[in-house]
Amino acid sequence: MRAWIGFLVVLGVALAQRPVEIPFWHTAGPPGQEPLEEMIREFNARQREYRIVPSFVGDYREGGLKLLAALRSGGAPVLFHAELSFLGRMAQDNVALPLDEYLGGIPNDFYPGFLEAGRFRGRTYGLPIGLSVPVFFYNADQFAARGLNPPRTWEEVAQAAQQLTTRAAKGYTLSSDIYSFNVLVMSRGGRIVDAQGRPDFTNPKVVESLEFLQDMVRRNIAQSRNIAEAQFSVADFLRTKTFMGVAPITMWPLIESRAPIPFRLGVGAVPRAEGGKVPLAGGTLVVLRGASEPQVRGAVAFWRYLMEPANIARWVRATYYMPMRRAAQAQLEDFYREDPRRRVAFAQVEHADIWLQDPEFTIWYSYLEDALERALKGNANARQVLEEAQRRALAVERR
């Protein structure tokens, strides 16, 4: 009898010491996968309460589809790495768990807008870990050959495109996707959504931005790519078929990891008007409904570990995501000194802002992209196609 009692005591102690497992589906592929999973191993080793169990589930789109399937059939994780545009839908559909009560005492040096990126209707549902801004890529050799400086305004972009265009190449490449278009709109001081988060495609700044792009296409100094052709935009630039373009900063290490580029790569800040912003994009950690109290606490503890300055700096070096906290900047000084282009590009963190938290985005974004393509590929009237897209977007049922 004593032996059984002793066994049960030992078993109880062992079970009590077993760490709480937190299945984590993440969407960080190379170059972010290795450092993220390394930090997971370190977090698991430094404490005994929690154990993060990671699974890579593909990119944002693939991960989102797998999560939806798992929510219907069972087997969803506790912690999910969600793209920002998916967060509002998860919160509205009561899939995500609000986390505000677990966030006491977090550091006060996060950059403006970064924590807000994980909030929906005043509550925190996402813990941001990888937020990016766009950058302006250009062919530095062609700029030098023509005595051009990196453009600081969009008017200078058009002027440079005029001087760079030849019979064989266009000065600028643009894409009719919502992200690229929104970069232009926000940097010129506009918004594609209003203060309530509803589509605002007929805002004068939005109309002017599309007319600006349409004018460049009509003048034959810009090449327009639609969504189906988006993968060719980078190839056009690397093969010197175009000489300028905008893309997320996270494209930078991917471009430079390819075969040698046949020109010096210019990287700079997105041209920006006074008061203009650059949009934040990226992902957040979301705890799903049904998580136990210890699992929620463990997920937040893991995020706090990722937000330690040394870990932020490690993540930035690998992925080129923005440093989340000002405290991390001191540990990135050598990173900036190694390549002065980085300092200029990453300095945009001071002008970054959220742009999208509407759960209906997954429906209405296609209406805007259809309007962009009709204007830029089909030469349709910019204002008219935007008005039509606005009517279609506002007809989406809102809850």
Side-chain angles (χ1 to χ4, degrees):
M1 185 67 178
R2 290 178 183 175
W4 274 107
I5 293 174
F7 172 76
L8 292 174
V9 169
V10 171
L11 178 61
V13 171
L15 291 174
Q17 292 180 340
R18 181 179 297 173
V20 175
E21 290 204 346
I22 303 171
F24 172 37
W25 287 9
H26 74 82
T27 52
Q33 184 171 358
E34 182 177 345
L36 177 61
E37 295 185 353
E38 181 180 24
M39 288 187 283
I40 290 172
R41 290 190 293 270
E42 292 171 359
F43 174 77
N44 290 340
R46 68 181 275 176
Q47 48 76 44
R48 297 182 178 180
E49 290 184 79
Y50 314 111
R51 180 171 176 264
I52 306 295
V53 183
S55 296
F56 174 62
V57 290
D59 60 22
Y60 287 133
R61 181 178 179 278
E62 292 169 333
L65 292 174
K66 289 179 181 178
L67 179 65
L68 291 174
L71 290 171
R72 288 192 294 266
S73 62
V78 169
L79 188 61
F80 182 69
H81 186 187
E83 202 269 330
L84 285 178
S85 66
F86 194 44
L87 181 63
R89 174 62 66 185
M90 293 180 71
Q92 181 173 270
D93 290 349
N94 204 31
V95 171
L97 193 70
L99 300 171
D100 299 272
E101 65 180 286
Y102 303 95
L103 299 179
I106 62 173
N108 61 3
D109 64 338
F110 282 88
Y111 281 96
F114 279 37
L115 292 180
E116 285 74 12
R119 292 180 181 144
F120 176 70
R121 294 176 181 168
R123 305 182 76 181
T124 301
Y125 291 93
L127 304 173
I129 63 168
L131 299 181
S132 68
V133 297
V135 292
F136 190 83
F137 290 106
Y138 61 97
N139 185 315
D141 287 345
Q142 291 294 324
F143 268 62
R146 291 166 173 77
L148 298 172
N149 295 317
R152 293 183 296 179
T153 68
W154 286 101
E155 288 68 30
E156 290 179 0
V157 170
Q159 294 167 8
Q162 179 73 57
Q163 297 181 58
L164 290 164
T165 296
T166 66
R167 290 184 178 180
K170 299 289 191 296
Y172 188 78
T173 186
L174 57 93
S175 175
S176 54
D177 67 274
I178 189 171
Y179 173 81
S180 300
F181 181 62
N182 181 62
V183 170
L184 175 64
V185 173
M186 284 186 66
S187 66
R188 291 162 63 95
R191 296 271 181 171
I192 65 170
V193 295
D194 62 21
Q196 288 72 46
R198 296 170 66 86
D200 194 17
F201 307 156
T202 55
N203 182 288
K205 291 283 187 181
V206 179
V207 177
E208 291 168 10
S209 295
L210 183 52
E211 290 174 341
F212 171 82
L213 294 177
Q214 194 174 51
D215 179 66
M216 291 181 68
V217 172
R218 286 172 175 168
R219 291 164 56 194
N220 209 32
I221 60 175
Q223 176 173 266
S224 176
R225 290 290 194 185
N226 60 26
I227 304 302
E229 302 167 329
Q231 69 270 25
F232 300 119
S233 297
V234 174
D236 290 338
F237 178 70
L238 296 179
R239 294 170 183 169
T240 64
K241 298 298 183 183
T242 59
F243 301 118
M244 295 182 288
V246 168
I249 194 172
T250 49
M251 285 292 297
W252 188 354
L254 297 177
I255 289 175
E256 293 199 323
S257 67
R258 297 188 179 197
I261 302 172
F263 56 85
R264 288 183 300 121
L265 180 65
V267 185
V270 171
R272 193 172 53 83
E274 185 68 28
K277 299 290 184 179
V278 289
L280 288 170
T284 68
L285 300 184
V286 181
V287 181
L288 303 189
R289 291 275 182 184
S292 69
E293 179 76 10
Q295 287 176 323
V296 179
R297 294 191 181 280
V300 174
F302 171 56
W303 175 74
R304 289 177 186 265
Y305 177 68
L306 295 179
M307 292 301 103
E308 292 180 6
N311 290 332
I312 291 175
R314 187 173 10 167
W315 182 242
V316 170
R317 292 171 189 275
T319 64
Y320 283 46
Y321 280 119
M322 291 290 102
M324 297 288 296
R325 296 175 51 199
R326 297 183 190 277
Q329 292 289 12
Q331 301 194 36
L332 289 165
E333 277 301 315
D334 60 336
F335 177 70
Y336 298 142
R337 282 194 298 269
E338 288 169 3
D339 189 337
R341 297 175 301 174
R342 294 172 181 160
R343 190 180 299 277
V344 175
F346 279 87
Q348 295 181 108
V349 69
E350 298 288 351
H351 307 289
D353 199 5
I354 55 175
W355 66 283
L356 187 65
Q357 293 177 310
D358 183 8
E360 310 301 340
F361 166 80
T362 54
I363 300 175
W364 61 247
Y365 84 92
S366 61
Y367 304 152
L368 178 56
E369 290 185 339
D370 178 63
L372 297 176
E373 181 170 353
R374 289 169 59 195
L376 299 174
K377 283 283 194 179
N379 199 30
N381 181 276
R383 180 177 295 279
Q384 290 177 359
V385 295
L386 288 172
E387 288 174 347
E388 180 182 345
Q390 176 80 351
R391 287 193 296 272
R392 296 175 70 191
L394 293 180
V396 174
E397 181 180 356
R398 309 184 70 82
R399 286 178 276 170

